[in-house]
Amino acid sequence: MFVSTKIKKKEGFLNMKRIVSMLLLLTMLCLVACSDTEVITPDQTSATTAESTTSAQSTAATTTQASTTEMQNPFAERLELTYLVRFTHNYDADRWDELELEEKFNIDLNVWTIDAYNAEQCTMMAAAGDWADTGYINGYDPVRAYNEGLTRNISLEQIRTMLPEYYSILEGNPIGFKVNHIQDEPDHYYGLSFCYAQNNYWYHTNCFRLDWLENIGYPISDLTEVKITAESFQQASEDVVFLSNHVFPYEEFLDILRAFTEDDPDGNGVDDTFGAMWPLTGPSYGSHWTDLYTGMFGITSAYTTWLYYDETSDNYVPSYALPGWRDFLVFINEMLTKGYMNYMVDVSGGDYGGNFYSAILTGNYGHFPLDTWFNMNPGSPPRIEMGIPQGFLEKAPEAQFVVVPAIVGPEGKGGNKRYVDLPFRDGPWGTWTFGHTCTDEKLERALALLQYTHFNDEGFYRYYYGLEGIHYKWSGEPYKSAVILTDKSKIPRKYANDAIQSIFATDKFLIDYRKWSMVSEWFMQLYDFQYKNDWFINYSLEPDKLINRLYMGNEMYDEYIVLRDKINPDIMTVANDFRNKAFKGELADINAEWSNYIDALYNAGLQEYVKIFNRSEFGVYDIDKKALYN
């Protein structure tokens, strides 16, 4: 096999199991041989006493139950399952959790240790004809893998009967029945579509220097304090980070950026502060980090897949042809020209995280996107885990921070982009597959393992977070508070893992956001506040249409791809030129130039695009998040 050698099991562990099994067998044989109990057939029961009848019925029932249990035991035969997920490259053979699951399901788990996110390694694996019986492989397209005979399908009936919890998720939001469906095989799928909580998750959220706001005359009254008990974050344990439902109107936000830049908000007498930073090194359509700013105008960085209805043209168009994009360009041009915002400087040779935190931790910015998941999260990359607010406090010990849901733009719009567009995912980044070596018998065992580790609370908490008291402790009430992870150096070697803990229980089917947010006290308090105050409902931006096979159908989607490859370079030449000039202050009047720009887009090919985008059979975006996540 290309990817791995078979992981050897501890012989002592297996030998002990064999000895115990043999002793139990001998004991049972001895009991049967020495028993004086009369075997009574149904015809004989009428001639027996009530006492002997009761005894015989009890014995017969026990014997029948034992026989039935043995016949129906789904785990009677020991099977080998090859297994691959992410972060297994440092996997320890015979981990405590592996041994437990092997015993429970009578399987021999062979964890492959290639990088499931490495396209080159996965391509080499596929070229050798190898594919894990169960797991996910992000470096190779599952449709391609199936067409090449590397994977098998799974039927809807197998899902319904062997993974009923997952089937219920599909029923809760029926679009899931369409994801990963094999077009020529009714009710069969390339694999299981991921359906995790990132559909209700903002990668970043709006963060202000609260102390600066108060210094320039913009105090916030509805503050909820974030409290941290983990020892490693005691510098920010209280009176540092706050949450609020306050939403600044557009004119106030503009004045705040001005005051942060011009009014010496830190009181040091030096002109060294800025309102905010465009967290990219140059003109761009944006990223998750910039959606806070484009969101004020109702648009996001998803300019290649999101479509919006444009009332002025009566067409569905990409963001770069929408009046909201024009208004954003006016905003960013003004902020950069006046110096209230500046570009992120490349000080780390293209290392985005290094550039961002190097800039933010100067303490010179009053507003910035704050990472929601990795921030103050033990085990995150150190520059993020210890970045905000800890690293910030080293520069400015007096700093306080407040997180708010959104900023509204001139038209009263404001919001953020969810991390993923759909509650279900497909493709190489969203499919749990089953290899061609996974027989129906193996599939049944693999689904039983998946059900226990992903959909059963007992299994999920045990194998995702580890053992309570060893790998973590609760910060408050068990199962209703965040976990505090144990320092790796303090975990007994028997239970220590060089790879991450969550190998056998992943977040790929974790639709309960609360279970996911338990990973850190900050994240859980943030999510609870967001959820209870309807941030995701009120401030999540949505497209009117989404360029996706689910809404277009295969024929229309393929038609679009052919057209895109033909005309998109000409369209983007026009769009990029206008964007770059706007960012650089090279357009005297963006509003005046806009109509000429739109005409140029349509002449370059946008007119051909909208003929497809406007079709009635191109369905509108219609995800019911409440049905899936409430």
Side-chain angles (χ1 to χ4, degrees), residues 6-45:
K6 180 69 183 70
I7 298 177
K8 294 183 178 180
K9 305 301 169 190
K10 296 181 179 177
E11 295 182 357
F13 178 79
L14 293 178
N15 287 338
M16 181 59 70
K17 290 197 296 183
R18 296 190 185 101
I19 292 171
V20 172
S21 299
M22 184 62 71
L23 288 174
L24 288 174
L25 179 59
L26 291 173
T27 301
M28 292 175 62
L29 291 173
C30 180
L31 289 172
V32 172
C34 297
S35 175
D36 292 329
T37 303
E38 181 181 2
V39 179
I40 302 174
T41 66
D43 292 337
Q44 294 174 310
T45 55

mmCIF file of all heavy atoms in Angstrom, residues 6-45:
data_model
loop_
_atom_site.group_PDB
_atom_site.id
_atom_site.type_symbol
_atom_site.label_atom_id
_atom_site.label_comp_id
_atom_site.label_asym_id
_atom_site.label_seq_id
_atom_site.Cartn_x
_atom_site.Cartn_y
_atom_site.Cartn_z
ATOM 1 N N LYS A 6 0.764 -1.091 7.875
ATOM 2 C CA LYS A 6 -0.234 -1.422 8.887
ATOM 3 C C LYS A 6 0.292 -1.081 10.259
ATOM 4 O O LYS A 6 1.391 -1.451 10.616
ATOM 5 C CB LYS A 6 -0.557 -2.928 8.807
ATOM 6 C CG LYS A 6 -1.601 -3.372 9.820
ATOM 7 C CD LYS A 6 -2.947 -2.813 9.469
ATOM 8 C CE LYS A 6 -3.951 -3.204 10.542
ATOM 9 N NZ LYS A 6 -3.721 -2.531 11.785
ATOM 10 N N ILE A 7 -0.489 -0.367 11.036
ATOM 11 C CA ILE A 7 -0.085 -0.024 12.395
ATOM 12 C C ILE A 7 -0.216 -1.253 13.287
ATOM 13 O O ILE A 7 -1.272 -1.872 13.370
ATOM 14 C CB ILE A 7 -0.969 1.115 12.944
ATOM 15 C CG1 ILE A 7 -0.781 2.358 12.084
ATOM 16 C CG2 ILE A 7 -0.627 1.420 14.392
ATOM 17 C CD1 ILE A 7 -1.671 3.486 12.506
ATOM 18 N N LYS A 8 0.845 -1.647 13.937
ATOM 19 C CA LYS A 8 0.831 -2.820 14.807
ATOM 20 C C LYS A 8 0.137 -2.509 16.120
ATOM 21 O O LYS A 8 0.287 -1.456 16.685
ATOM 22 C CB LYS A 8 2.245 -3.285 15.093
ATOM 23 C CG LYS A 8 2.970 -3.810 13.844
ATOM 24 C CD LYS A 8 4.337 -4.313 14.208
ATOM 25 C CE LYS A 8 5.057 -4.878 12.976
ATOM 26 N NZ LYS A 8 6.399 -5.368 13.325
ATOM 27 N N LYS A 9 -0.594 -3.448 16.625
ATOM 28 C CA LYS A 9 -1.288 -3.296 17.889
ATOM 29 C C LYS A 9 -0.446 -3.863 19.008
ATOM 30 O O LYS A 9 0.423 -4.711 18.806
ATOM 31 C CB LYS A 9 -2.658 -4.016 17.864
ATOM 32 C CG LYS A 9 -3.517 -3.565 16.704
ATOM 33 C CD LYS A 9 -3.752 -2.091 16.795
ATOM 34 C CE LYS A 9 -4.371 -1.536 15.560
ATOM 35 N NZ LYS A 9 -4.389 -0.112 15.535
ATOM 36 N N LYS A 10 -0.713 -3.391 20.200
ATOM 37 C CA LYS A 10 0.028 -3.868 21.348
ATOM 38 C C LYS A 10 -0.329 -5.329 21.615
ATOM 39 O O LYS A 10 -1.470 -5.658 21.929
ATOM 40 C CB LYS A 10 -0.295 -3.019 22.581
ATOM 41 C CG LYS A 10 0.162 -1.571 22.413
ATOM 42 C CD LYS A 10 -0.149 -0.769 23.639
ATOM 43 C CE LYS A 10 0.337 0.660 23.471
ATOM 44 N NZ LYS A 10 0.000 1.502 24.624
ATOM 45 N N GLU A 11 0.655 -6.200 21.471
ATOM 46 C CA GLU A 11 0.399 -7.632 21.588
ATOM 47 C C GLU A 11 -0.128 -7.983 22.970
ATOM 48 O O GLU A 11 -0.993 -8.835 23.127
ATOM 49 C CB GLU A 11 1.676 -8.411 21.287
ATOM 50 C CG GLU A 11 2.140 -8.250 19.826
ATOM 51 C CD GLU A 11 3.376 -9.068 19.541
ATOM 52 O OE1 GLU A 11 3.881 -9.708 20.490
ATOM 53 O OE2 GLU A 11 3.815 -9.070 18.390
ATOM 54 N N GLY A 12 0.397 -7.321 23.989
ATOM 55 C CA GLY A 12 -0.049 -7.630 25.334
ATOM 56 C C GLY A 12 -1.522 -7.344 25.505
ATOM 57 O O GLY A 12 -2.245 -8.090 26.152
ATOM 58 N N PHE A 13 -1.965 -6.249 24.896
ATOM 59 C CA PHE A 13 -3.374 -5.870 25.006
ATOM 60 C C PHE A 13 -4.266 -6.932 24.366
ATOM 61 O O PHE A 13 -5.257 -7.362 24.948
ATOM 62 C CB PHE A 13 -3.582 -4.517 24.315
ATOM 63 C CG PHE A 13 -4.995 -4.027 24.323
ATOM 64 C CD1 PHE A 13 -5.536 -3.433 25.448
ATOM 65 C CD2 PHE A 13 -5.784 -4.164 23.174
ATOM 66 C CE1 PHE A 13 -6.828 -2.967 25.442
ATOM 67 C CE2 PHE A 13 -7.077 -3.712 23.185
ATOM 68 C CZ PHE A 13 -7.598 -3.115 24.314
ATOM 69 N N LEU A 14 -3.908 -7.392 23.175
ATOM 70 C CA LEU A 14 -4.716 -8.391 22.487
ATOM 71 C C LEU A 14 -4.627 -9.744 23.167
ATOM 72 O O LEU A 14 -5.605 -10.484 23.262
ATOM 73 C CB LEU A 14 -4.269 -8.500 21.026
ATOM 74 C CG LEU A 14 -4.560 -7.257 20.171
ATOM 75 C CD1 LEU A 14 -4.029 -7.471 18.754
ATOM 76 C CD2 LEU A 14 -6.036 -6.985 20.124
ATOM 77 N N ASN A 15 -3.420 -10.115 23.624
ATOM 78 C CA ASN A 15 -3.270 -11.405 24.303
ATOM 79 C C ASN A 15 -4.145 -11.459 25.545
ATOM 80 O O ASN A 15 -4.760 -12.484 25.859
ATOM 81 C CB ASN A 15 -1.812 -11.625 24.686
ATOM 82 C CG ASN A 15 -0.952 -11.932 23.465
ATOM 83 O OD1 ASN A 15 -1.477 -12.366 22.435
ATOM 84 N ND2 ASN A 15 0.345 -11.711 23.574
ATOM 85 N N MET A 16 -4.187 -10.361 26.294
ATOM 86 C CA MET A 16 -5.025 -10.318 27.486
ATOM 87 C C MET A 16 -6.483 -10.508 27.115
ATOM 88 O O MET A 16 -7.227 -11.228 27.800
ATOM 89 C CB MET A 16 -4.844 -8.982 28.205
ATOM 90 C CG MET A 16 -5.676 -8.852 29.498
ATOM 91 S SD MET A 16 -5.260 -10.136 30.708
ATOM 92 C CE MET A 16 -3.612 -9.594 31.182
ATOM 93 N N LYS A 17 -6.925 -9.894 26.022
ATOM 94 C CA LYS A 17 -8.318 -10.065 25.597
ATOM 95 C C LYS A 17 -8.599 -11.534 25.250
ATOM 96 O O LYS A 17 -9.640 -12.082 25.578
ATOM 97 C CB LYS A 17 -8.619 -9.186 24.388
ATOM 98 C CG LYS A 17 -8.658 -7.691 24.690
ATOM 99 C CD LYS A 17 -9.334 -6.906 23.611
ATOM 100 C CE LYS A 17 -8.560 -7.003 22.325
ATOM 101 N NZ LYS A 17 -9.141 -6.186 21.269
ATOM 102 N N ARG A 18 -7.625 -12.208 24.570
ATOM 103 C CA ARG A 18 -7.816 -13.610 24.212
ATOM 104 C C ARG A 18 -7.904 -14.493 25.455
ATOM 105 O O ARG A 18 -8.713 -15.419 25.543
ATOM 106 C CB ARG A 18 -6.673 -14.056 23.319
ATOM 107 C CG ARG A 18 -6.608 -13.325 21.969
ATOM 108 C CD ARG A 18 -5.597 -14.008 21.058
ATOM 109 N NE ARG A 18 -5.453 -13.251 19.813
ATOM 110 C CZ ARG A 18 -4.430 -12.431 19.586
ATOM 111 N NH1 ARG A 18 -3.500 -12.247 20.500
ATOM 112 N NH2 ARG A 18 -4.357 -11.781 18.448
ATOM 113 N N ILE A 19 -7.073 -14.197 26.452
ATOM 114 C CA ILE A 19 -7.082 -14.995 27.679
ATOM 115 C C ILE A 19 -8.409 -14.847 28.403
ATOM 116 O O ILE A 19 -9.017 -15.821 28.855
ATOM 117 C CB ILE A 19 -5.909 -14.564 28.589
ATOM 118 C CG1 ILE A 19 -4.579 -14.963 27.938
ATOM 119 C CG2 ILE A 19 -6.030 -15.204 29.970
ATOM 120 C CD1 ILE A 19 -3.376 -14.395 28.651
ATOM 121 N N VAL A 20 -8.862 -13.578 28.519
ATOM 122 C CA VAL A 20 -10.138 -13.342 29.193
ATOM 123 C C VAL A 20 -11.283 -14.039 28.460
ATOM 124 O O VAL A 20 -12.152 -14.658 29.061
ATOM 125 C CB VAL A 20 -10.404 -11.829 29.281
ATOM 126 C CG1 VAL A 20 -11.813 -11.558 29.794
ATOM 127 C CG2 VAL A 20 -9.382 -11.165 30.200
ATOM 128 N N SER A 21 -11.260 -13.984 27.131
ATOM 129 C CA SER A 21 -12.312 -14.634 26.343
ATOM 130 C C SER A 21 -12.305 -16.149 26.557
ATOM 131 O O SER A 21 -13.351 -16.791 26.673
ATOM 132 C CB SER A 21 -12.140 -14.306 24.860
ATOM 133 O OG SER A 21 -12.239 -12.926 24.659
ATOM 134 N N MET A 22 -11.101 -16.748 26.599
ATOM 135 C CA MET A 22 -10.989 -18.188 26.803
ATOM 136 C C MET A 22 -11.512 -18.583 28.174
ATOM 137 O O MET A 22 -12.231 -19.577 28.326
ATOM 138 C CB MET A 22 -9.529 -18.618 26.638
ATOM 139 C CG MET A 22 -9.327 -20.133 26.728
ATOM 140 S SD MET A 22 -10.208 -21.022 25.408
ATOM 141 C CE MET A 22 -9.214 -20.541 24.011
ATOM 142 N N LEU A 23 -11.178 -17.812 29.203
ATOM 143 C CA LEU A 23 -11.654 -18.115 30.556
ATOM 144 C C LEU A 23 -13.168 -18.029 30.633
ATOM 145 O O LEU A 23 -13.818 -18.872 31.266
ATOM 146 C CB LEU A 23 -11.012 -17.142 31.550
ATOM 147 C CG LEU A 23 -9.517 -17.366 31.830
ATOM 148 C CD1 LEU A 23 -8.980 -16.242 32.712
ATOM 149 C CD2 LEU A 23 -9.261 -18.732 32.481
ATOM 150 N N LEU A 24 -13.736 -17.021 30.003
ATOM 151 C CA LEU A 24 -15.198 -16.895 29.986
ATOM 152 C C LEU A 24 -15.853 -18.078 29.291
ATOM 153 O O LEU A 24 -16.877 -18.594 29.736
ATOM 154 C CB LEU A 24 -15.592 -15.595 29.294
ATOM 155 C CG LEU A 24 -15.305 -14.300 30.077
ATOM 156 C CD1 LEU A 24 -15.599 -13.092 29.203
ATOM 157 C CD2 LEU A 24 -16.140 -14.250 31.340
ATOM 158 N N LEU A 25 -15.240 -18.538 28.182
ATOM 159 C CA LEU A 25 -15.787 -19.667 27.441
ATOM 160 C C LEU A 25 -15.745 -20.933 28.280
ATOM 161 O O LEU A 25 -16.712 -21.698 28.354
ATOM 162 C CB LEU A 25 -15.009 -19.857 26.137
ATOM 163 C CG LEU A 25 -15.455 -21.024 25.260
ATOM 164 C CD1 LEU A 25 -16.924 -20.868 24.855
ATOM 165 C CD2 LEU A 25 -14.573 -21.120 24.020
ATOM 166 N N LEU A 26 -14.606 -21.189 28.937
ATOM 167 C CA LEU A 26 -14.482 -22.376 29.783
ATOM 168 C C LEU A 26 -15.472 -22.337 30.934
ATOM 169 O O LEU A 26 -16.060 -23.366 31.315
ATOM 170 C CB LEU A 26 -13.045 -22.473 30.312
ATOM 171 C CG LEU A 26 -11.973 -22.814 29.264
ATOM 172 C CD1 LEU A 26 -10.592 -22.719 29.882
ATOM 173 C CD2 LEU A 26 -12.210 -24.209 28.686
ATOM 174 N N THR A 27 -15.667 -21.172 31.506
ATOM 175 C CA THR A 27 -16.620 -21.038 32.608
ATOM 176 C C THR A 27 -18.031 -21.366 32.153
ATOM 177 O O THR A 27 -18.779 -22.075 32.832
ATOM 178 C CB THR A 27 -16.568 -19.608 33.156
ATOM 179 O OG1 THR A 27 -15.245 -19.336 33.600
ATOM 180 C CG2 THR A 27 -17.538 -19.448 34.331
ATOM 181 N N MET A 28 -18.396 -20.857 30.967
ATOM 182 C CA MET A 28 -19.736 -21.140 30.453
ATOM 183 C C MET A 28 -19.944 -22.619 30.185
ATOM 184 O O MET A 28 -20.980 -23.194 30.496
ATOM 185 C CB MET A 28 -19.968 -20.333 29.172
ATOM 186 C CG MET A 28 -20.065 -18.821 29.387
ATOM 187 S SD MET A 28 -20.193 -17.916 27.846
ATOM 188 C CE MET A 28 -21.745 -18.600 27.258
ATOM 189 N N LEU A 29 -18.908 -23.282 29.600
ATOM 190 C CA LEU A 29 -19.012 -24.718 29.324
ATOM 191 C C LEU A 29 -19.162 -25.522 30.606
ATOM 192 O O LEU A 29 -19.934 -26.477 30.692
ATOM 193 C CB LEU A 29 -17.784 -25.185 28.540
ATOM 194 C CG LEU A 29 -17.683 -24.669 27.101
ATOM 195 C CD1 LEU A 29 -16.338 -25.069 26.498
ATOM 196 C CD2 LEU A 29 -18.829 -25.213 26.267
ATOM 197 N N CYS A 30 -18.442 -25.108 31.644
ATOM 198 C CA CYS A 30 -18.507 -25.806 32.918
ATOM 199 C C CYS A 30 -19.884 -25.673 33.537
ATOM 200 O O CYS A 30 -20.458 -26.632 34.044
ATOM 201 C CB CYS A 30 -17.434 -25.252 33.866
ATOM 202 S SG CYS A 30 -17.414 -26.052 35.479
ATOM 203 N N LEU A 31 -20.444 -24.462 33.452
ATOM 204 C CA LEU A 31 -21.775 -24.244 34.010
ATOM 205 C C LEU A 31 -22.832 -25.078 33.305
ATOM 206 O O LEU A 31 -23.740 -25.634 33.921
ATOM 207 C CB LEU A 31 -22.128 -22.760 33.917
ATOM 208 C CG LEU A 31 -21.349 -21.824 34.874
ATOM 209 C CD1 LEU A 31 -21.665 -20.376 34.537
ATOM 210 C CD2 LEU A 31 -21.699 -22.139 36.320
ATOM 211 N N VAL A 32 -22.725 -25.171 31.975
ATOM 212 C CA VAL A 32 -23.699 -25.965 31.217
ATOM 213 C C VAL A 32 -23.574 -27.444 31.559
ATOM 214 O O VAL A 32 -24.547 -28.156 31.759
ATOM 215 C CB VAL A 32 -23.503 -25.741 29.702
ATOM 216 C CG1 VAL A 32 -24.368 -26.686 28.916
ATOM 217 C CG2 VAL A 32 -23.846 -24.301 29.355
ATOM 218 N N ALA A 33 -22.331 -27.943 31.660
ATOM 219 C CA ALA A 33 -22.101 -29.372 31.925
ATOM 220 C C ALA A 33 -22.574 -29.762 33.315
ATOM 221 O O ALA A 33 -23.045 -30.884 33.543
ATOM 222 C CB ALA A 33 -20.608 -29.690 31.778
ATOM 223 N N CYS A 34 -22.459 -28.850 34.289
ATOM 224 C CA CYS A 34 -22.793 -29.170 35.675
ATOM 225 C C CYS A 34 -24.242 -28.871 36.019
ATOM 226 O O CYS A 34 -24.686 -29.123 37.134
ATOM 227 C CB CYS A 34 -21.884 -28.382 36.618
ATOM 228 S SG CYS A 34 -20.137 -28.820 36.442
ATOM 229 N N SER A 35 -25.021 -28.291 35.110
ATOM 230 C CA SER A 35 -26.392 -27.874 35.414
ATOM 231 C C SER A 35 -27.319 -29.070 35.512
ATOM 232 O O SER A 35 -27.267 -30.005 34.705
ATOM 233 C CB SER A 35 -26.881 -26.920 34.339
ATOM 234 O OG SER A 35 -28.221 -26.604 34.559
ATOM 235 N N ASP A 36 -28.225 -29.065 36.544
ATOM 236 C CA ASP A 36 -29.249 -30.111 36.698
ATOM 237 C C ASP A 36 -30.580 -29.668 36.141
ATOM 238 O O ASP A 36 -31.578 -30.357 36.294
ATOM 239 C CB ASP A 36 -29.413 -30.459 38.191
ATOM 240 C CG ASP A 36 -28.175 -31.146 38.752
ATOM 241 O OD1 ASP A 36 -27.505 -31.860 37.983
ATOM 242 O OD2 ASP A 36 -27.897 -30.939 39.949
ATOM 243 N N THR A 37 -30.616 -28.499 35.553
ATOM 244 C CA THR A 37 -31.877 -27.957 35.047
ATOM 245 C C THR A 37 -32.413 -28.828 33.931
ATOM 246 O O THR A 37 -31.705 -29.158 32.987
ATOM 247 C CB THR A 37 -31.672 -26.535 34.521
ATOM 248 O OG1 THR A 37 -31.126 -25.732 35.575
ATOM 249 C CG2 THR A 37 -32.974 -25.939 34.041
ATOM 250 N N GLU A 38 -33.710 -29.219 34.048
ATOM 251 C CA GLU A 38 -34.332 -30.038 33.027
ATOM 252 C C GLU A 38 -34.747 -29.166 31.865
ATOM 253 O O GLU A 38 -35.330 -28.109 32.050
ATOM 254 C CB GLU A 38 -35.570 -30.730 33.601
ATOM 255 C CG GLU A 38 -36.275 -31.630 32.584
ATOM 256 C CD GLU A 38 -37.506 -32.273 33.177
ATOM 257 O OE1 GLU A 38 -37.807 -31.974 34.352
ATOM 258 O OE2 GLU A 38 -38.167 -33.042 32.470
ATOM 259 N N VAL A 39 -34.438 -29.619 30.676
ATOM 260 C CA VAL A 39 -34.858 -28.900 29.490
ATOM 261 C C VAL A 39 -36.281 -29.265 29.179
ATOM 262 O O VAL A 39 -36.600 -30.436 28.940
ATOM 263 C CB VAL A 39 -33.945 -29.218 28.291
ATOM 264 C CG1 VAL A 39 -34.422 -28.463 27.067
ATOM 265 C CG2 VAL A 39 -32.498 -28.867 28.627
ATOM 266 N N ILE A 40 -37.199 -28.324 29.191
ATOM 267 C CA ILE A 40 -38.622 -28.574 29.053
ATOM 268 C C ILE A 40 -39.089 -28.073 27.701
ATOM 269 O O ILE A 40 -38.868 -26.919 27.359
ATOM 270 C CB ILE A 40 -39.397 -27.860 30.164
ATOM 271 C CG1 ILE A 40 -38.891 -28.359 31.528
ATOM 272 C CG2 ILE A 40 -40.887 -28.078 30.039
ATOM 273 C CD1 ILE A 40 -39.481 -27.612 32.699
ATOM 274 N N THR A 41 -39.707 -28.904 26.926
ATOM 275 C CA THR A 41 -40.250 -28.508 25.645
ATOM 276 C C THR A 41 -41.642 -27.959 25.859
ATOM 277 O O THR A 41 -42.272 -28.177 26.885
ATOM 278 C CB THR A 41 -40.330 -29.703 24.686
ATOM 279 O OG1 THR A 41 -41.285 -30.628 25.211
ATOM 280 C CG2 THR A 41 -38.975 -30.376 24.547
ATOM 281 N N PRO A 42 -42.189 -27.242 24.878
ATOM 282 C CA PRO A 42 -43.541 -26.692 25.021
ATOM 283 C C PRO A 42 -44.586 -27.756 25.345
ATOM 284 O O PRO A 42 -45.537 -27.497 26.064
ATOM 285 C CB PRO A 42 -43.794 -26.032 23.668
ATOM 286 C CG PRO A 42 -42.425 -25.659 23.185
ATOM 287 C CD PRO A 42 -41.539 -26.760 23.671
ATOM 288 N N ASP A 43 -44.424 -28.997 24.804
ATOM 289 C CA ASP A 43 -45.399 -30.050 25.038
ATOM 290 C C ASP A 43 -45.369 -30.544 26.477
ATOM 291 O O ASP A 43 -46.324 -31.141 26.951
ATOM 292 C CB ASP A 43 -45.143 -31.230 24.100
ATOM 293 C CG ASP A 43 -45.437 -30.874 22.663
ATOM 294 O OD1 ASP A 43 -46.226 -29.928 22.440
ATOM 295 O OD2 ASP A 43 -44.862 -31.518 21.770
ATOM 296 N N GLN A 44 -44.274 -30.364 27.182
ATOM 297 C CA GLN A 44 -44.133 -30.868 28.524
ATOM 298 C C GLN A 44 -44.576 -29.878 29.590
ATOM 299 O O GLN A 44 -44.752 -30.239 30.736
ATOM 300 C CB GLN A 44 -42.662 -31.234 28.798
ATOM 301 C CG GLN A 44 -42.152 -32.414 27.951
ATOM 302 C CD GLN A 44 -40.675 -32.621 28.157
ATOM 303 O OE1 GLN A 44 -39.924 -31.661 28.065
ATOM 304 N NE2 GLN A 44 -40.268 -33.849 28.454
ATOM 305 N N THR A 45 -44.741 -28.635 29.271
ATOM 306 C CA THR A 45 -44.969 -27.615 30.280
ATOM 307 C C THR A 45 -46.232 -27.847 31.079
ATOM 308 O O THR A 45 -46.303 -27.506 32.251
ATOM 309 C CB THR A 45 -45.037 -26.238 29.634
ATOM 310 O OG1 THR A 45 -46.023 -26.232 28.621
ATOM 311 C CG2 THR A 45 -43.688 -25.853 29.048
#
